[in-house]
Structures are given as C-alpha cells and as structure tokens.
Amino acid sequence: MAEAEDRAQSPCAVGEVHTEFDYRLQFLGIDVAATIEPAPGLPPTPSHIKSIRGILIESEVPAIIAAPWSNTATTRRVAKDVGAMVLVLPTMLPEG
C-alpha cells in the first residue's frame, strides 16, 4: 500500500493526444499536463497547440502518450518542440 501512495505523490506528468489513457495514468499516479486534441477526432487549432506547448514545457513532460492510430505529424511536432518523446501505447492487449 505504501508503494501505491508513493506513486500517487510522484510529480510526474505527461502529455497525451486523447483522453483514452486517463484512467490508467490516474491509477499509476501520473498527471496529464495537457491534451493535444481538445476532443476525439477534432484537430487542434494553432492557438490550442500554442497554449499547450507552454504548459508542456513548464511541466517538463518527458513523454506524450499516443495510441497507435494517433501518432500523427502534429503529435510528433509538439513532442519535438517541447523536448518530449512520443510513447505509443496499445489500447488493447492481444488475445491469447
């Protein structure tokens, strides 16, 4: 139990493309500093990207979490601009 409490107090934060990983990140005690797409399927506007860049830089995020289908040029560009890597995570595990 103490290990879970230590994780919850971790100052770690990441960026994400969609909110699809929120529950996993919350379980791990990882904060989401900013989300690139304001809503699923809605491309971010230039002003939105500008605003989240500042947040991601200030939060010193090491990674931007993306699903395999959302690792777009915009995601990679934002990650490069803020000095983060794109971490592509599966949304489902294979059967078997």
Side-chain angles (χ1 to χ4, degrees):
M1 188 70 156
E3 290 177 32
E5 290 174 9
D6 289 343
R7 281 195 315 259
Q9 294 173 3
S10 170
C12 184
V14 296
E16 65 179 348
V17 178
H18 300 291
T19 58
E20 62 204 333
F21 295 105
D22 281 356
Y23 70 96
R24 293 179 193 138
L25 296 171
Q26 182 180 16
F27 174 78
L28 296 170
I30 300 171
D31 293 329
V32 176
T35 304
I36 294 176
E37 289 193 358
L42 182 64
T45 64
S47 63
H48 179 72
I49 290 175
K50 183 179 177 181
S51 70
I52 65 166
R53 275 188 186 137
I55 294 168
L56 294 170
I57 289 169
E58 183 179 314
S59 301
E60 299 179 353
V61 300
I64 295 178
I65 308 296
W69 57 83
S70 61
N71 184 13
T72 64
T74 301
T75 303
R76 293 188 300 274
R77 186 177 70 242
V78 170
K80 182 180 177 186
D81 290 349
V82 304
M85 67 176 167
V86 177
L87 184 58
V88 179
L89 300 179
T91 56
M92 297 184 338
L93 297 175
E95 291 184 35

